Amino acid sequence: MDNTAADFKNQWNAELYDSKHSFVSELAANLVELLSPKPGECILDLGCGTGHLTDKIASLGSEVIGIDSSVTMIEQARKNYPQLDFDVVDARKLAYTEKFDGIFSNAVLHWIKEAEEVVVGINRALKPGGRFVAEFGGKGNVNAIITAIFNALQKAGYPTDTALNPWYFPSIGEYGSLLEKHGFQLTYATLFERLTPLEDGEQGLQNWLKMFANSFLNGLSTDAQISTIIDIENQLRPSLYKNNTWFADYKRIRVIAVKL
Ligand code: BEZ
């Protein structure tokens, strides 16, 4: 195991994200097909990260703006695709009115507990008849990993406050109702399992924890973080490590909703 204190400070390390977590955008390539962007349309990529799907949407002929709340992600997106339009914007504070034909979002909405504020802003930002196409973690997402994290923290006597959990993983019913409450017609919704291989062999789970689950570990000393990660790995190895590859027990929700 190769841990340093610096590893844990990389909350949104865009290089680590691009080099070790490229599966995030690769797995969502067919989400762009669900969006089906057309030449001449104006599309918002909400939570664009380092811009790979923004570029895919642009390559199909649409005008596209990529937004993300992370400055480092947007800096990397601008480096990756200098010809495209990117902005640092908080998804809870969208300030667009009837600007977009489509709003697209991959693997970001589970980071925002204030889902209602986001849905209201998305509805306002769409033209009437515009579509919202999104994929993110749904009910039960990474349950095994979350359980192992809390087990490890509890066994070692560290804080186990549920507020350490940064994620919002709604059911289809919950999220569909939210969309309907705020002026959308839900035209497609699904929740499905996607056991997802993590890159980098034996390092895969610790990379994932450092990139995505650091809110559980940040309050601990570096030594405590290292021993907690080892405990999490030991708990999950029988179920989530096969043939030198770690897997994350992802459950995805996908929705398409049209602004009425
Ligand atoms: C997800 O894509 O489902 C996810 C990614 C990071 C943390 C939690 C969930």
Side-chain angles (χ1 to χ4, degrees):
M1 177 138 171
D2 174 24
N3 284 305
T4 66
D7 286 341
F8 295 105
K9 299 215 174 78
N10 291 325
Q11 186 167 5
W12 280 117
N13 179 326
E15 269 174 40
L16 182 65
Y17 186 81
D18 256 3
S19 64
K20 303 266 192 265
H21 305 278
S22 58
F23 63 85
V24 176
S25 54
E26 284 159 13
L27 288 170
N30 70 359
L31 190 67
V32 176
E33 286 163 27
L34 277 190
L35 174 72
S36 185
K38 313 273 185 311
E41 283 190 325
C42 187
I43 304 290
L44 180 70
D45 182 4
L46 190 163
C48 63
T50 50
H52 301 308
L53 294 174
T54 321
D55 179 58
K56 186 167 166 64
I57 293 167
S59 73
L60 297 170
S62 295
E63 201 184 305
V64 58
I65 302 174
I67 60 168
D68 204 288
S69 63
S70 160
V71 175
T72 51
M73 287 290 181
I74 290 296
E75 281 170 356
Q76 187 64 40
R78 287 181 177 141
K79 272 189 209 146
N80 288 345
Y81 305 105
Q83 75 284 11
L84 298 182
D85 193 358
F86 294 104
D87 254 322
V88 178
V89 175
D90 182 335
R92 296 166 300 183
K93 297 186 183 132
L94 299 179
Y96 312 99
T97 302
E98 299 198 355
K99 181 176 171 70
F100 299 103
D101 300 286
I103 296 184
F104 174 88
S105 183
N106 177 52
V108 68
L109 296 176
H110 49 248
W111 289 105
I112 309 175
K113 289 183 174 170
E114 300 88 347
E116 191 150 15
E117 291 169 36
V118 180
V119 166
V120 167
I122 288 172
N123 188 274
R124 190 187 315 113
L126 282 169
K127 298 174 186 172
R131 60 208 186 279
F132 170 47
V133 176
E135 174 176 324
F136 56 104
K139 192 174 172 65
N141 195 33
V142 291
N143 244 0
I145 296 178
I146 293 172
T147 303
I149 293 172
F150 277 119
N151 267 339
L153 293 173
Q154 191 184 24
K155 271 192 276 172
Y158 303 135
T160 53
D161 190 336
T162 51
L164 292 172
N165 184 339
W167 300 311
Y168 165 71
F169 297 143
S171 67
I172 290 177
E174 183 182 344
Y175 202 69
S177 299
L178 189 64
L179 290 167
E180 286 173 354
K181 177 177 167 195
H182 290 290
F184 283 101
Q185 181 178 22
L186 189 65
T187 58
Y188 176 81
T190 182
L191 179 73
F192 59 97
E193 287 184 17
R194 184 194 282 146
L195 197 61
T196 300
L198 304 176
E199 289 170 30
D200 225 6
E202 172 63 33
Q203 307 289 310
L205 183 61
Q206 61 170 288
N207 289 343
W208 189 95
L209 291 166
K210 288 175 196 165
M211 183 79 206
F212 297 121
N214 48 30
S215 68
F216 295 96
L217 303 169
N218 273 343
L220 309 183
S221 69
T222 301
D223 282 352
Q225 291 178 353
I226 292 169
S227 59
T228 302
I229 287 181
I230 291 172
D231 187 344
I232 295 165
E233 288 177 332
N234 289 341
Q235 290 179 66
L236 293 174
R237 198 174 292 279
S239 55
L240 294 182
Y241 187 69
K242 299 208 167 56
N243 301 327
N244 199 36
T245 301
W246 281 101
F247 291 80
D249 56 330
Y250 280 3
K251 267 199 179 175
R252 322 303 295 169
I253 185 169
R254 275 188 176 193
V255 294
I256 304 178
V258 175
K259 177 172 174 172
L260 294 170

